[in-house]
Amino acid sequence: MSKKRSSAHTRAQKAGRERDGNICQICGSSDHAEGHHILDYAFSGAADKDNIITLCHDHHQKVHKGLIDIFKF
């Protein structure tokens, strides 16, 4: 069971996307930019922009499915 994310995490996602210019850090797309927590909240991930990477929706889904390792980027 995952923990509910706080508003601090939502703000961190927004701040991370803004820092990255709302551009996917894998492909450079600006379509459907989403903030992804590098270290998930459920595993004590911090609620700050330094723990966020901006991804397009497609790459975000692939990271969650384990098809892309963001630590290689």
Side-chain angles (χ1 to χ4, degrees), residues 52-64:
I52 299 294
I53 184 172
T54 303
L55 303 171
C56 65
H57 180 75
D58 182 51
H59 283 117
H60 195 187
Q61 294 302 307
K62 288 178 180 178
V63 167
H64 279 283

Side-chain angles (χ1 to χ4, degrees), residues 1-71:
M1 181 174 174
S2 64
K3 298 179 184 179
K4 180 174 171 59
R5 296 184 190 276
S6 67
S7 58
H9 277 81
T10 302
R11 287 191 302 274
Q13 286 179 319
K14 182 179 179 183
R17 288 192 322 267
E18 289 173 349
R19 177 204 56 222
D20 295 339
N22 285 300
I23 295 172
C24 177
Q25 299 302 291
I26 294 174
C27 70
S29 172
S30 60
D31 291 336
H32 306 289
E34 301 172 355
H36 172 74
H37 288 83
I38 297 166
L39 180 57
D40 196 285
Y41 176 67
F43 300 103
S44 302
D48 63 49
K49 69 180 179 181
D50 293 332
N51 188 36
I52 299 294
I53 184 172
T54 303
L55 303 171
C56 65
H57 180 75
D58 182 51
H59 283 117
H60 195 187
Q61 294 302 307
K62 288 178 180 178
V63 167
H64 279 283
K65 290 177 182 176
L67 301 173
I68 294 175
D69 181 357
I70 59 172
F71 296 105

